[in-house]
């Protein structure tokens, strides 16, 4: 995107600030890592601006094969610039070693490609370990991520929710938590 106008920069900053809160998303995963009809469900928080002028994001997701069998838990981390012009994202399947198939972390950078101040939408190009797009809608309070690589595709549509996300479990034993079972 060429240098955004003052109005576009203000809109991006306002949309980014409006995304502070708890989020829940559902989507699909497929390809060589998860060749069946995989699903993903995510819970994450986007925090207010910190001392480094970023909105820190943290949460988790669970992968299911055919919507039934547990295929893994993903740790989600990231930071969004307070300006709304960029973000970083990290995702890793904590149930697999990094060297195992499907265990390598995914690092992405989102770069603003367009902002529509009247519709309160922003579009980002995703680069890094995978490529794709991210659309943030400040009116409907939704975020849609569509990314792909040689390992397959990942689509997640999230909405802002009133409740806090479920407890983040990265410990390896999910039997006690019915949300992760």
């Amino acid at each position: 995107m060429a240098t955004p106008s003052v109005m576009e920069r203000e809109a991006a900053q306002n949309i980014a600030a409006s995304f502070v809160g708890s989020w829940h998303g559902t989507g699909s995963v497929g390809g060589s890592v998860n060749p069946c009809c995989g699903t993903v469900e995510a819970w994450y928080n986007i925090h207010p601006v910190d001392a480094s002028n970023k909105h820190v994001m943290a949460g988790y997701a669970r992968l299911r094969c055919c919507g039934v069998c547990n295929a893994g838990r993903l740790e989600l981390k990231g930071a969004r610039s307070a300006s709304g012009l960029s973000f970083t994202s990290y995702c890793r399947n904590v149930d697999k070693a990094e060297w195992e198939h499907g265990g390598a972390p995914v690092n992405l950078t989102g770069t603003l490609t367009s902002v529509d101040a009247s519709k309160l939408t922003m579009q980002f190009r995703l680069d890094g370990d995978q490529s794709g797009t991210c659309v943030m809608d400040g009116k409907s309070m939704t975020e849609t991520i569509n990314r792909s690589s040689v390992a397959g595709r990942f689509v997640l549509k999230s909405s802002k929710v009133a409740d806090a996300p479920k407890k983040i479990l990265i410990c390896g034993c999910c039997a006690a938590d019915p949300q992760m079972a």
Side-chain angles (χ1 to χ4, degrees), residues 43-47 55-60 75-78 165 168:
W43 298 266
Y44 55 96
N45 276 329
I46 299 172
H47 299 278
H55 296 278
V56 173
M57 187 273 290
Y60 71 94
E75 173 185 26
L76 307 174
K77 295 180 185 177
I168 298 173

Side-chain angles (χ1 to χ4, degrees), residues 91-123:
C91 174
R92 178 170 142 24
N93 186 338
V94 297
D95 290 334
K96 294 187 177 237
E98 288 189 22
W99 50 266
E100 285 185 275
H101 188 62
V106 175
N107 290 289
L108 298 171
T109 300
T111 305
L112 186 68
T113 57
S114 68
V115 59
D116 187 324
S118 63
K119 292 182 180 178
L120 296 179
T121 59
M122 298 189 299
Q123 293 190 0

Side-chain angles (χ1 to χ4, degrees), residues 7-179:
M7 189 169 128
E8 290 171 329
R9 284 194 308 271
E10 287 176 3
Q13 185 173 4
N14 291 337
I15 294 168
S18 73
F19 272 46
V20 170
S22 299
W23 290 77
H24 174 254
T26 58
S28 61
V29 180
S32 63
V33 172
N34 194 1
C36 67
C37 53
T39 60
V40 61
E41 187 170 15
W43 298 266
Y44 55 96
N45 276 329
I46 299 172
H47 299 278
V49 173
D50 65 10
S52 65
N53 207 29
K54 294 184 182 195
H55 296 278
V56 173
M57 187 273 290
Y60 71 94
R62 76 173 159 208
L63 300 174
R64 296 220 182 248
C65 182
C66 300
V68 179
C69 302
N70 187 17
R73 294 167 297 145
L74 301 177
E75 173 185 26
L76 307 174
K77 295 180 185 177
R80 297 160 188 239
S81 66
S83 67
L85 301 179
S86 65
F87 66 87
T88 59
S89 176
Y90 168 88
C91 174
R92 178 170 142 24
N93 186 338
V94 297
D95 290 334
K96 294 187 177 237
E98 288 189 22
W99 50 266
E100 285 185 275
H101 188 62
V106 175
N107 290 289
L108 298 171
T109 300
T111 305
L112 186 68
T113 57
S114 68
V115 59
D116 187 324
S118 63
K119 292 182 180 178
L120 296 179
T121 59
M122 298 189 299
Q123 293 190 0
F124 294 83
R125 180 186 71 245
L126 300 179
D127 295 305
D129 296 330
Q130 296 182 347
S131 61
T133 60
C134 175
V135 177
M136 297 179 183
D137 187 326
K139 281 190 179 175
S140 64
M141 296 312 291
T142 59
E143 174 179 55
T144 305
I145 296 170
N146 191 336
R147 65 183 207 221
S148 61
S149 71
V150 294
R153 62 175 168 66
F154 179 95
V155 178
L156 179 68
K157 183 168 185 178
S158 302
S159 299
K160 194 170 180 182
V161 295
D163 298 327
K166 309 295 185 255
K167 182 177 178 183
I168 298 173
L169 293 178
I170 306 295
C171 66
C173 177
C174 294
D177 185 350
Q179 292 295 326

